[in-house]
Amino acid sequence: MDVEGRPAIWRGMTDQSPISPPPASPPATRTEALARLARFLPHAGRDYASRRNHDLPAAGHPHVSRLSPYLRHRLITEEEVLAAVLGRFSLGSAEKFVQEVCWRSYWKGWLEMRPAVWAAYRRELAEVLDGADADLRDRLEAAEAGKTGIDCFDAWAAELVATGYMHNHARMWFASIWIFTLRLPWQAGADFFLRHLLDGDPASNTLGWRWVAGLQTQGKHYLARPDNIARYTEGRFAPKGLVTDAEPLKGPAPPQRRPAPVGDRPQAGLRTGLLLTEEDLSPAFVLEALETPPVAHAALISVAGRSPRAVSGLVAGFTRDAVTDAMGRWSGRIGSPGPVTDEVETIAAWAEAEGLEQLVTAFAPVGPAAAALEALEARLARSDIALSRVMRDWDAAAWPHATHGFFRFKEHIPELVAGL
Ligand SMILES: Cc1cc2nc3c(=O)[nH]c(=O)nc-3n(C[C@H](O)[C@H](O)[C@H](O)COP(=O)(O)OP(=O)(O)OC[C@H]3O[C@@H](n4cnc5c(N)ncnc54)[C@H](O)[C@@H]3O)c2cc1C
């Protein structure tokens, strides 16, 4: 452990690869999200169904939406994206795209009902980082720096660090090579993603890695095949030496599921402040749950909690800019502005100074923002200030269906999108 009580492996391991060009973040604004949606919309039907698996970074990944950083922070919502797509295509024609958006809701719901899986991942990651010997440490550094000698893997690592994005198919290949060819701990790979992905998300990321490893659908893993990589990178890579025959990782069966959470109803007649978090930056539905508008607003950012190590500057900057964008867009309707902070105590002090009796916020799913809200709730209780977490109708409708595999979940898609 170092002087700050952090495992030794964190020291000296930079969060930016030396091979990456200076990072440039895409605008973290709703305007950009809407522009991306408008550009992608004509491609959401047959083009997406037939070409979405092609990994074409030089062309700007033209066959996928690249909406994930915006959906992840809800600068644009699943409902909005699906309503726009289904306004243009039938459900049958846009089935593939609609399903992919619903994968996000499925993973979210699955983890909400089994939060112990996130806690176990965090515990195991700490053990991996703490217990890493010099050899593992070197191999982790080489993998993150894109210096393994596996050209496709090294290029994807560099793309991730430089842009904060990796195509879905590349994420699957990358995770598979990380686990089965390089034989690195999957938890460290998931952490590398969470520190660098602009869309880094506790549910989609942890469960995506578990799925590749064979831990999510037990006994069923994903092995990257050289011919598949060559085909879908359109000949850019023809990797040699990949392990194409390996046993899935073994782990405990998922824990018993608990019921899906439900949201709170804010109390009427209290002096209320709105709290934004990076989990949901479209707060209209929270305001609709209030009888009178909030008198003040502030934001609690938990991006540093995505990893025990430093998240990339790109990720931290994108998150902060996204929150600032939301506050700017809503400022007229959410009362006087307060702090944008990662300190629970600063929010509590602000709520006290404003004479607030209640804070309302969007329900934060399992992850660092939810943990920060829990700490805040305990702190606010000392000053008799209530914290009310309002749940979005989409989440309340979708999450309880994540009881088994996606196959069962997707049977509910027609009823989920019917109300849009
Ligand atoms: C190992 C691994 C880790 C991943 N980590 C994350 C993560 O941290 N955050 C994240 O948002 N996605 C994650 N994904 C899912 C997926 O790769 C990305 O959502 C997708 O690549 C984002 O690009 P896009 O917006 O162009 O997607 P599109 O193909 O245009 O899809 C539209 C939207 O649907 C959702 N979506 C698409 N595919 C998936 C999927 N398989 N699972 C969940 N949601 C999906 C995303 O919100 C995406 O923006 C991971 C996948 C794997 C295999």
Side-chain angles (χ1 to χ4, degrees):
M1 304 289 266
D2 71 6
V3 284
E4 292 169 271
R6 298 191 293 188
I9 192 170
W10 300 342
R11 274 178 284 147
M13 285 184 74
T14 56
D15 65 319
Q16 294 294 339
S17 159
I19 59 173
S20 63
S25 173
T29 61
R30 178 167 165 83
T31 306
E32 173 67 14
L34 293 173
R36 285 185 182 213
L37 176 60
R39 277 199 301 275
F40 173 71
L41 210 46
H43 308 282
R46 199 191 312 197
D47 182 26
Y48 185 81
S50 60
R51 306 273 293 161
R52 72 185 188 288
N53 284 328
H54 292 250
D55 173 44
L56 305 171
H61 296 295
H63 305 298
V64 290
S65 72
R66 302 206 57 174
L67 280 168
S68 53
Y70 303 89
L71 283 165
R72 189 261 175 263
H73 299 96
R74 283 186 166 156
L75 278 171
I76 193 166
T77 66
E78 291 89 330
E79 299 101 300
E80 286 178 297
V81 170
L82 293 176
V85 166
L86 294 173
R88 184 162 181 142
F89 297 98
S90 67
L91 181 54
S93 316
E95 186 183 20
K96 275 291 159 209
F97 182 75
V98 172
Q99 278 181 7
E100 293 304 327
V101 174
C102 287
W103 265 102
R104 177 178 149 77
S105 305
Y106 168 71
W107 285 140
K108 284 277 176 212
W110 195 94
L111 196 61
E112 283 307 310
M113 292 195 271
R114 300 153 186 96
V117 170
W118 170 250
Y121 156 70
R122 296 286 296 214
R123 201 174 50 245
E124 290 161 16
L125 174 62
E127 285 164 12
V128 165
L129 297 177
D130 249 342
D133 59 15
D135 171 62
L136 175 56
R137 208 185 134 140
D138 286 350
R139 292 191 301 120
L140 285 173
E141 267 190 32
E144 295 197 4
K147 290 182 175 166
T148 65
I150 303 172
D151 56 358
C152 54
F153 184 95
D154 293 348
W156 291 318
E159 183 190 0
L160 172 62
V161 170
T163 68
Y165 182 78
M166 195 190 289
H167 184 277
N168 180 59
H169 217 166
R171 294 184 202 201
M172 291 160 58
W173 295 320
F174 186 93
S176 178
I177 295 170
W178 179 286
I179 296 168
F180 297 111
T181 296
L182 299 173
R183 297 197 171 280
L184 292 169
W186 73 267
Q187 298 90 343
D191 180 59
F192 176 50
F193 271 22
L194 271 190
R195 281 181 284 120
H196 288 281
L197 281 171
L198 297 181
D199 63 31
D201 178 84
S204 293
N205 191 58
T206 314
L207 304 180
W209 276 85
R210 280 171 52 89
W211 179 84
V212 171
L215 295 164
Q216 188 63 17
T217 310
Q218 295 227 325
K220 202 163 165 256
H221 57 339
Y222 178 80
L223 284 169
R225 288 201 331 266
D227 59 329
N228 183 264
I229 293 174
R231 176 173 170 204
Y232 287 103
T233 60
E234 301 192 354
R236 210 163 75 254
F237 300 113
K240 294 199 173 50
L242 300 191
V243 169
T244 51
D245 184 18
E247 289 294 307
L249 299 193
K250 291 196 170 52
Q256 282 278 344
R257 69 170 192 273
R258 67 177 192 184
V262 290
D264 302 325
R265 281 167 74 96
Q267 296 176 58
L270 298 185
R271 187 173 161 82
T272 297
L274 174 73
L275 183 68
L276 290 171
T277 74
E278 71 258 38
E279 297 298 322
D280 197 319
L281 296 172
S282 295
F285 75 105
V286 181
L287 301 182
E288 280 160 18
L290 296 175
E291 286 187 358
T292 48
V295 296
H297 68 274
L300 180 60
I301 297 184
S302 309
V303 63
R306 279 183 209 177
S307 167
R309 295 174 59 197
V311 298
S312 81
L314 213 56
V315 167
F318 187 91
T319 306
R320 181 163 283 265
D321 289 353
V323 169
T324 308
D325 178 69
M327 287 178 92
R329 278 184 294 109
W330 286 89
S331 58
R333 291 177 56 190
I334 53 181
S336 58
V340 177
T341 177
D342 54 7
E343 297 288 338
V344 161
E345 186 51 42
T346 306
I347 296 294
W350 159 78
E352 287 166 353
E354 288 282 347
L356 301 178
E357 297 165 295
Q358 166 175 254
L359 280 186
V360 290
T361 190
F363 185 95
V366 170
L373 288 181
E374 224 171 277
L376 177 65
E377 187 171 37
R379 170 62 185 80
L380 291 174
R382 291 187 354 226
S383 311
D384 273 337
I385 303 172
L387 178 69
S388 181
R389 301 165 174 86
V390 183
M391 189 175 286
R392 214 173 246 291
D393 288 347
W394 175 265
D395 295 339
W399 289 353
H401 296 305
T403 50
H404 296 78
F406 184 72
F407 195 72
R408 278 212 213 175
F409 181 88
K410 79 176 187 196
E411 287 169 9
H412 298 278
I413 291 177
E415 86 208 30
L416 285 173
V417 299
L420 293 175

